[in-house]
Amino acid sequence: MAVSAKPKSKPRKVASADAPESVKSVRTRKAIARACREGALLFAEKGYSETTTRELAAAMDVTNGTFYYYFPSKEDLLRQICEDALEEVTASVGDAVADASDGLDAVSRLIHAHVRTIVESRHAHTTMLTELRALSGEHRVTVVAARDKYEALVRGVLKSAKDDGSLKTSIELTPLTLLLLNLLNWTIFWYRPEMSLSGDQLADRMVLLFLNGAVNPT
């Protein structure tokens, strides 16, 4: 007798912020956070394709069955890591630029917030940048949409800086946006916490590097 395929499901949801969390909900939230943290470390160090669900379960200190209780597949975990990383940097940069005094201040705040975020969550952002290509179907659609949302935020900050005369109008917005994102994102491939520069010190140098080439001469 044929057995029907098990329907796909998403990682389990935790209780809404409006209601107190039950003990079970707290455990679920912590387990998912730990899975994302340990998964990002393994994916960043070994690569997504080389990491097994057995290794993921061992890193979480749970059985394979328990891993699948939280994530229907390894790809579901990758999607969660990528989506969380993009939501984190989008929120951080959005908050940082909200009170900017002008275009240059907004660009400086953007650079600092982006660098600080990816330095503090290096493995998650490394995974997002290098392993997004492994996602398929709706997983990929979801993460690409989140990536596009962040790119639109960066583009908007740069456009405002161009509009108020802070940045050169001779540099087209699209290459300017992509150049800045490449400058910022590439940090994760060489920056290490033990280096002599802190995340904010590194961001200071990036602000000088980027704006000295793009600032409108007075």
Side-chain angles (χ1 to χ4, degrees):
M1 179 179 174
V3 179
S4 60
K6 183 179 179 181
K8 291 183 179 181
S9 59
K10 293 184 178 181
R12 294 175 178 271
K13 301 289 186 179
V14 298
S16 70
D18 296 328
E21 286 186 280
S22 67
V23 173
K24 183 177 180 180
S25 295
V26 170
R27 282 201 298 262
T28 297
R29 174 170 53 78
K30 289 182 176 179
I32 290 176
R34 182 175 183 183
C36 290
R37 184 172 63 251
E38 300 295 343
L41 175 60
L42 283 169
F43 294 158
E45 291 184 344
K46 294 189 61 177
Y48 172 76
S49 63
E50 297 300 318
T51 303
T52 66
T53 52
R54 187 180 298 276
E55 289 173 317
L56 292 168
M60 291 176 63
D61 196 24
V62 298
T63 65
N64 276 17
T66 300
F67 173 82
Y68 286 118
Y69 173 82
Y70 295 111
F71 293 94
S73 69
K74 185 173 73 167
E75 188 175 331
D76 281 282
L77 174 59
L78 176 60
R79 179 205 59 77
Q80 187 74 54
I81 292 169
C82 292
E83 193 172 0
D84 287 351
L86 285 162
E87 287 179 353
E88 179 185 32
V89 73
T90 299
S92 179
V93 169
D95 289 345
V97 303
D99 298 323
S101 58
D102 56 28
L104 287 185
D105 185 38
V107 173
S108 177
R109 286 167 177 256
L110 183 159
I111 292 173
H112 274 86
H114 185 116
V115 172
R116 187 182 308 115
T117 301
I118 66 172
V119 164
E120 291 175 355
S121 304
R122 183 164 53 92
H123 295 127
H125 288 275
T126 298
T127 295
M128 185 273 295
L129 289 169
T130 60
E131 301 296 349
L132 187 155
R133 59 190 176 184
L135 294 172
S136 61
E138 287 301 315
H139 288 155
R140 183 177 180 83
V141 170
T142 297
V143 174
V144 168
R147 184 188 64 185
D148 291 347
K149 178 182 177 182
Y150 180 60
E151 183 178 322
L153 172 61
V154 175
R155 181 188 298 268
V157 171
L158 294 177
K159 184 179 185 305
S160 294
K162 286 167 67 70
D163 289 346
D164 74 5
S166 297
L167 298 181
K168 296 176 180 179
T169 57
S170 59
I171 303 177
E172 297 86 350
L173 185 58
T174 294
L176 187 65
T177 301
L178 296 177
L179 284 167
L180 178 57
L181 286 170
N182 281 333
L183 173 68
L184 298 176
N185 287 332
W186 198 255
T187 304
I188 62 170
F189 296 107
W190 57 264
Y191 179 82
R192 294 295 179 268
E194 61 271 16
M195 295 177 69
S196 58
L197 290 176
S198 68
D200 277 335
Q201 289 172 327
L202 176 61
D204 286 337
R205 284 145 180 81
M206 287 187 171
V207 169
L208 289 174
L209 176 64
F210 184 74
L211 292 182
N212 279 351
V215 68
N216 201 26
T218 57

